[in-house]
Amino acid sequence: MLEHLDRLPPDPILGVMAAFRADADPRKVDLGVGVFRDDAGETPVMRAVREAERELLARQTTKTYVAAAGNAGFNEAMERLVLGQGHAALTSGRLRTIQAPGGCGALRLGAELILRAAPDTVVHVSTPTWANHVPLLSNCGLKLERYPYFDPATGDVAFDAMLGALDRLPPRAVVLLHASCHNPTGADLEDAQWRELLGVVRRRSLLPFIDIAYQGLGRGAAEDAYAARLFCTELPEVLVAVSCSKNFGLYRERTGALHVLSATPAAADAAISQLMRIARGLYSMPPDHGAAIVHAILGDGRLRKAWEEELDAMRSRIQQLRAAAVQRLTVTCPGKDFGYIARQRGMFSYLGVDVQAVRELRERHHVYMMDDSRINVAGLRMDNIGYFAQAVGQVVGQGQPREG
Ligand code: LMR
């Protein structure tokens, strides 16, 4: 039976990750998979995570099952982290949370819940969006459509086009929104634009499904959650998929959560009962370790402060790398304007070159990025930005390098 299966190409992002690892050239630069790196090129275990983990292992007495919805303490801590202390939804009786295997697990759980609520629902995702949004949201059978999002000419959100498209959707359409640090473009909505979008979502009775995978890596932990906080204040129903991969550096521990805000407490109870049944049928229960670490950090004032400081340092590093990349690229590619990279937020930006240039950068210079030229800015180092910019200059630079 299995001999008829087609062989598939590697996943676009994980394929680049594997190709980079297999490259033995010491000059290689990894701008592919979205992981944070320090100036030594490592993705370190965060200090607060290391400490919480040590304490956790010392006091853990059992590996028995936790619960169908995961770690209740983690779930509550995530609600407060995302929505902020004192948010009205926390005491409304309308919010429920299920721990999930990473942000991916949360997205899939949300999609399955939507499917059970209304199987004909269409989920609208931005053009472009994270490559894995497509299988995560559609493999369960939901239909996917696109709305315009990015203007490559300016490097900003094509806000009018986005708003216009969403304002034509039928009631109960689902709109997937990146809360911050848009993947792959790095172009985010400003707070005033979120408020304008809220008006459209409300008027058209759309269901927002917010993906927050980079909280703290854009403008700040509260600022990056602005959309989730606003929409959960103003709307009857919202889904929020959360990932702890990047802001806690817990990638392989698969730590995330799905928050569901329902119109009434009874509807919220029904939603969480459905989610627990869905999870049971997919993977039974989420892995414990990462969630236990996050719970320990967020519940301890000292560890939390240490985590916040490290997260702030990660965010500043990304901002410095963005500024340094623009400065170097301006020298090696005088004909191109890369200023948008410094304005954008989070890990990703487009370099804005074609697939041939991407291949040449990989083959001739060992610089790895996605085929659509998405770069993980956090993969640069101060000591290889010059090499990276030279390589880009050689492949796509126009005109003579300026002095500088
Ligand atoms: C990325 O976009 O590179 C990250 O979110 C990692 C992944 O799983 O794709």
Side-chain angles (χ1 to χ4, degrees):
M1 188 170 74
L2 304 183
E3 72 195 7
H4 302 298
L5 284 172
D6 291 333
R7 182 177 176 155
L8 299 177
D11 172 88
I13 295 177
L14 303 184
V16 173
M17 182 172 90
F20 173 81
R21 286 182 180 167
D23 186 338
D25 194 289
R27 292 167 302 172
K28 66 183 180 176
V29 182
D30 181 13
L31 309 180
V33 68
V35 296
F36 178 84
R37 291 186 193 280
D38 63 17
D39 225 21
E42 305 295 336
T43 303
V45 179
M46 291 176 79
R47 287 187 295 279
V49 166
R50 173 91 64 210
E51 205 178 315
E53 187 164 47
R54 214 181 290 121
E55 287 170 16
L56 208 71
L57 290 178
R59 66 165 193 265
Q60 193 169 60
T61 54
T62 179
K63 293 282 186 192
T64 189
Y65 298 119
V66 178
N71 177 333
F74 165 79
N75 289 343
E76 279 167 33
M78 292 308 291
E79 289 173 355
R80 289 195 296 274
L81 180 67
V82 172
L83 296 181
Q85 290 284 4
H87 191 285
L90 299 175
T91 48
S92 67
R94 297 163 40 222
L95 182 69
R96 298 289 181 276
T97 297
I98 183 166
Q99 186 190 321
C104 289
L107 286 160
R108 182 56 182 266
L109 284 174
E112 296 273 353
L113 184 71
I114 293 164
L115 186 79
R116 277 154 186 77
D120 292 333
T121 302
V122 178
V123 180
H124 297 259
V125 300
S126 60
T127 302
T129 197
W130 177 44
N132 211 31
H133 274 148
V134 175
L136 281 172
L137 298 172
S138 66
N139 279 1
C140 64
L142 286 177
K143 285 185 280 305
L144 242 58
E145 281 180 18
R146 300 274 182 169
Y147 61 86
Y149 183 80
F150 183 61
D151 180 356
T154 60
D156 295 320
V157 177
F159 188 62
D160 290 343
M162 172 188 187
L163 216 58
L166 298 184
D167 211 359
R168 288 191 291 274
L169 295 185
R172 295 159 64 98
V174 173
V175 186
L176 186 85
L177 298 163
H178 302 225
S180 57
C181 308
H182 184 271
N183 182 0
T185 67
D188 286 345
L189 267 61
E190 301 300 333
D191 291 354
Q193 293 176 319
W194 282 117
R195 292 195 293 275
E196 219 176 314
L197 179 61
L198 170 70
V200 170
V201 167
R202 190 190 272 129
R203 187 165 64 245
R204 308 301 303 187
S205 299
L206 309 177
L207 175 67
F209 190 172
I210 300 176
D211 184 4
I212 176 160
Y214 301 89
Q215 189 179 0
L217 291 172
R219 289 186 293 157
E223 293 85 346
D224 293 346
Y226 181 80
R229 294 178 183 191
L230 176 71
F231 283 35
C232 286
T233 304
E234 299 291 335
L235 296 172
E237 295 181 341
V238 183
L239 301 188
V240 186
V242 193
S243 168
C244 300
S245 293
K246 327 282 161 141
N247 54 358
F248 286 87
L250 282 168
Y251 310 87
R252 64 174 64 172
E253 302 296 354
R254 310 312 301 137
T255 309
L258 179 72
H259 306 303
V260 180
L261 185 72
S262 301
T264 63
D269 285 337
I272 192 72
S273 75
Q274 292 273 345
L275 284 166
M276 288 191 291
R277 185 70 63 86
I278 292 165
R280 182 79 170 141
L282 285 173
Y283 53 82
S284 186
M285 275 171 270
D288 172 60
H289 191 64
I293 290 170
V294 171
H295 181 209
I297 292 173
L298 295 180
D300 176 300
R302 191 182 56 79
L303 283 180
R304 187 182 179 121
K305 189 161 177 292
W307 169 70
E308 284 170 352
E309 283 170 4
E310 206 168 347
L311 186 60
D312 288 349
M314 288 160 71
R315 182 174 62 252
S316 314
R317 173 177 161 72
I318 295 174
Q319 285 161 353
Q320 283 161 15
L321 287 168
R322 284 185 172 280
V326 173
Q327 200 191 7
R328 300 300 180 92
L329 287 167
T330 304
V331 174
T332 59
C333 308
K336 281 174 82 74
D337 178 9
F338 288 99
Y340 65 90
I341 293 181
R343 287 200 307 277
Q344 294 172 346
R345 296 179 190 131
M347 290 185 170
F348 307 112
S349 281
Y350 281 138
L351 191 58
V353 301
D354 63 23
V355 71
Q356 259 166 309
V358 169
R359 295 271 153 77
E360 209 178 319
L361 280 163
R362 188 181 307 176
E363 279 150 29
R364 270 181 53 205
H365 300 282
H366 309 272
V367 175
Y368 289 75
M369 65 190 70
M370 304 306 302
D371 278 355
D372 60 6
S373 88
R374 185 196 82 170
I375 56 170
N376 170 23
V377 182
L380 287 167
R381 301 193 310 263
M382 285 303 177
D383 67 357
N384 70 9
I385 287 194
Y387 173 78
F388 159 72
Q390 286 294 344
V392 177
Q394 283 176 29
V395 173
V396 297
Q398 294 158 23
Q400 292 303 307
R402 289 185 198 133
E403 292 299 311

